[in-house]
């Protein structure tokens, strides 16, 4: 652990403020490394099956909190700048149905997920300090995982977006709000609105964040079925641009951490990002976030992943060239993969005339 921790301490003492246009800054853009697939790693730390559970990893906030803390630490110790709370599949309805909790207990369990991430960060920072590190209290970030409406249905619809035909804009906002309120009250650094399979939900949540909350930073990340389309079938480029235009309309670019994709085949990422970049007006730069899976396919009937995985780190150089500023992993991307992603980014940053940097001391 000594070498892993000391490598991590090369990161920033304090976080620079994110803005919607990276070229407004004279310094090279800062690249942040997100953790990998939380539930994939959690499955290595518990003695129960995670995939296929109606609550997925969220169940273990209640039943095995030490394993949740350990999973966060696994990624932090390998160099993650950002960890996500174990709330992707958390919902009041889900906890009431599958754990027998009351509404109040369900909300408390969502808050507990944030607290577990905070405990992991505190322990990690203590380890860094014990190894003479200089990472400051603003690092690493904890973002609340705000998974899609379809995740709590436990029918695989987060990979199809089929529920977009069954719920409307305001219903989606009403469903998302309790989890967002709870995570913000519990104390987080931002929101990771992720794995959204349809444009309707992306616009509903973005509008909610821009109209009901004044300060939280956030990113919006889509689930895509191929190299051009959302899982529900809409154009990724059009959906991403619609989110960007909504952010610009509200003059909230400084709050936007990124727009991008997650839990997609890494082979799809480059064409997806290129399709968005081609739609942008000349001179406009949108911060991009990418955290793919390994290219395997989740079989919802069998409750497991199938196919052969790819080396996600090998795609990182091209994602950086396209302007990705937050890069990590999703399902089946483990701590060792995150270490390789971080090492790849650092190696590129050390090259002469590199357009990026991995640390910024303020």
């Amino acid at each position: 652990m000594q070498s892993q921790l000391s490598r991590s301490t090369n990161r920033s003492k304090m976080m620079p403020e994110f803005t919607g246009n990276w070229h407004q800054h004279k310094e090279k853009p800062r690249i942040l490394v997100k953790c990998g697939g939380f539930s994939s790693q959690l499955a290595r730390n518990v003695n129960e099956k995670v995939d296929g559970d109606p609550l997925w990893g969220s169940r273990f906030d209640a039943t095995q909190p030490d394993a949740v803390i350990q999973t966060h630490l696994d990624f932090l110790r390998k160099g993650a700048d950002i960890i996500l709370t174990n709330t992707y599949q958390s919902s009041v309805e889900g906890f009431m149905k599958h754990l027998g909790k009351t509404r109040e207990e369900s909300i408390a369990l969502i808050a507990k997920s944030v607290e577990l991430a905070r405990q992991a960060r505190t322990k990690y920072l203590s380890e860094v300090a014990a190894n003479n590190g200089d990472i400051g209290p603003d690092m690493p970030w904890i973002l609340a995982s705000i998974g899609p409406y379809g995740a709590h249905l436990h029918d695989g619809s987060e990979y199809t977006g089929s529920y977009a035909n069954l719920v409307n804009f305001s219903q989606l906002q009403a469903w998302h709000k309790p989890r967002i309120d709870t995570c913000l009250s519990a104390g987080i650094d931002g929101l990771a609105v992720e794995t959204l399979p349809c444009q309707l939900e992306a616009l509903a949540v973005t509008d909610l964040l821009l109209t009901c909350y004044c300060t939280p930073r956030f990113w919006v990340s889509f689930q895509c079925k191929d190299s051009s389309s959302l899982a529900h079938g809409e154009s990724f480029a059009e959906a991403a641009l619609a989110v960007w235009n909504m952010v610009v309309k509200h003059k909230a670019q400084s709050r936007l951490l990124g727009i991008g994709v997650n839990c997609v085949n890494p082979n799809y990422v480059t064409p997806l990002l290129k399709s968005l970049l081609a739609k942008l007006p000349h001179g406009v730069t949108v911060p991009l976030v990418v955290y793919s899976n390994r290219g395997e396919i989740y079989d919802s009937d069998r409750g497991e992943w199938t196919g052969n995985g790819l080396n996600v780190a090998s795609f990182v150089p091209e994602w950086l060239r396209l302007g990705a500023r937050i890069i990590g992993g999703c399902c089946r991307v483990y701590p060792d993969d995150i270490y390789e992603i971080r090492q790849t980014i650092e190696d590129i940053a050390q090259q002469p005339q590199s357009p990026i940097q991995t640390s910024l001391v303020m």
Side-chain angles (χ1 to χ4, degrees):
M1 183 162 59
Q2 173 77 27
S3 61
Q4 295 164 4
L5 287 173
S6 61
R7 184 177 182 86
S8 298
T9 60
N10 290 327
R11 288 177 283 166
S12 165
K13 288 184 179 179
M14 294 186 66
M15 290 298 300
E17 180 181 358
F18 273 61
T19 69
N21 190 331
W22 288 88
H23 296 299
Q24 293 174 351
H25 296 282
K26 293 181 180 179
E27 66 267 12
K28 298 174 182 178
R30 172 80 193 283
I31 308 302
L32 300 179
V33 177
K34 177 206 163 286
C35 60
F38 184 87
S39 287
S40 298
Q41 179 63 16
L42 179 63
R44 294 177 166 182
N45 290 327
V46 298
N47 55 7
E48 302 175 44
K49 186 175 181 179
V50 176
D51 284 344
D53 189 290
L55 295 174
W56 205 27
S58 296
R59 174 183 299 275
F60 297 93
D61 287 335
T63 62
Q64 296 193 46
D66 289 344
V68 172
I69 294 172
Q70 182 59 52
T71 302
H72 286 307
L73 284 168
D74 292 340
F75 286 113
L76 289 170
R77 288 167 176 164
K78 292 292 186 176
D81 294 304
I82 300 170
I83 57 172
L84 303 190
T85 59
N86 184 30
T87 51
Y88 174 86
Q89 206 143 323
S90 297
S91 69
V92 172
E93 298 90 336
F95 289 148
M96 291 177 69
K97 179 178 180 180
H98 299 292
L99 288 179
K101 301 291 186 182
T102 65
R103 179 177 178 81
E104 292 73 22
E105 289 171 338
S106 298
I107 290 173
L109 186 53
I110 295 173
K112 180 180 179 180
S113 189
V114 176
E115 176 57 27
L116 295 176
R118 290 166 64 90
Q119 289 181 36
R121 178 170 64 181
T122 298
K123 181 173 177 60
Y124 171 67
L125 290 173
S126 296
E127 293 173 354
V128 171
N131 284 273
N132 299 315
D134 61 356
I135 203 168
D138 292 68
M139 290 283 290
W141 278 355
I142 297 172
L143 267 61
S145 172
I146 306 299
Y149 176 87
H152 95 285
L153 299 176
H154 188 52
D155 60 359
S157 59
E158 69 265 43
Y159 296 104
T160 66
S162 57
Y163 57 87
N165 305 317
L166 305 174
V167 293
N168 61 34
F169 196 88
S170 59
Q171 287 173 322
L172 287 168
Q173 290 187 329
W175 183 84
H176 276 283
K177 197 171 189 301
R179 178 173 49 175
I180 292 173
D181 287 343
T182 302
C183 289
L184 289 173
S185 296
I188 52 172
D189 300 305
L191 301 160
V193 182
E194 57 177 349
T195 329
L196 301 184
C198 56
Q199 181 169 329
L200 172 68
E201 188 166 21
L203 294 181
V205 180
T206 302
D207 178 78
L208 176 66
L209 294 178
L210 295 174
T211 57
C212 293
Y213 307 93
C214 297
T215 58
R217 294 173 291 191
F218 64 95
W219 74 55
V220 176
S221 184
F222 291 92
Q223 158 64 211
C224 299
K225 65 180 180 180
D226 54 33
S227 59
S228 63
S229 306
L230 303 186
H232 190 240
E234 303 96 323
S235 161
F236 162 74
E238 293 290 348
L241 187 60
V243 169
W244 171 251
N245 288 337
M246 185 177 283
V247 170
V248 172
K249 179 181 177 181
H250 285 81
K251 299 180 180 179
Q253 293 95 317
S254 63
R255 292 176 54 192
L256 183 69
L257 299 175
I259 299 174
V261 295
N262 76 284
C263 212
V264 301
N265 187 308
N267 283 311
Y268 296 160
V269 173
T270 291
L272 285 165
L273 296 185
K274 285 183 175 179
S275 70
L276 170 59
L277 297 176
K279 290 277 187 181
L280 295 176
H282 179 72
V284 173
T285 303
V286 175
L288 301 175
V289 56
V290 176
Y291 48 113
S292 77
N293 56 38
R294 303 181 71 90
E296 298 154 308
I297 298 173
Y298 185 71
D299 186 326
S300 58
D301 293 329
R302 294 165 56 184
E304 59 186 39
W305 291 85
T306 62
N308 297 319
L310 301 171
N311 178 12
V312 176
S314 67
F315 293 85
V316 167
E318 63 186 53
W319 297 345
L320 289 172
R321 285 193 293 271
L322 291 171
R325 295 295 172 255
I326 298 173
I327 297 177
C330 205
C331 294
R332 309 279 286 178
V333 177
Y334 296 98
D336 284 346
D337 300 305
I338 293 304
Y339 181 82
E340 188 175 359
I341 288 171
R342 177 156 205 93
Q343 189 170 39
T344 299
I345 293 171
E346 290 184 349
D347 289 345
I348 292 172
Q350 292 169 8
Q351 295 173 3
Q353 306 303 314
S354 172
I356 67 167
Q357 63 179 14
T358 58
S359 63
L360 175 64
V361 177
M362 299 182 66

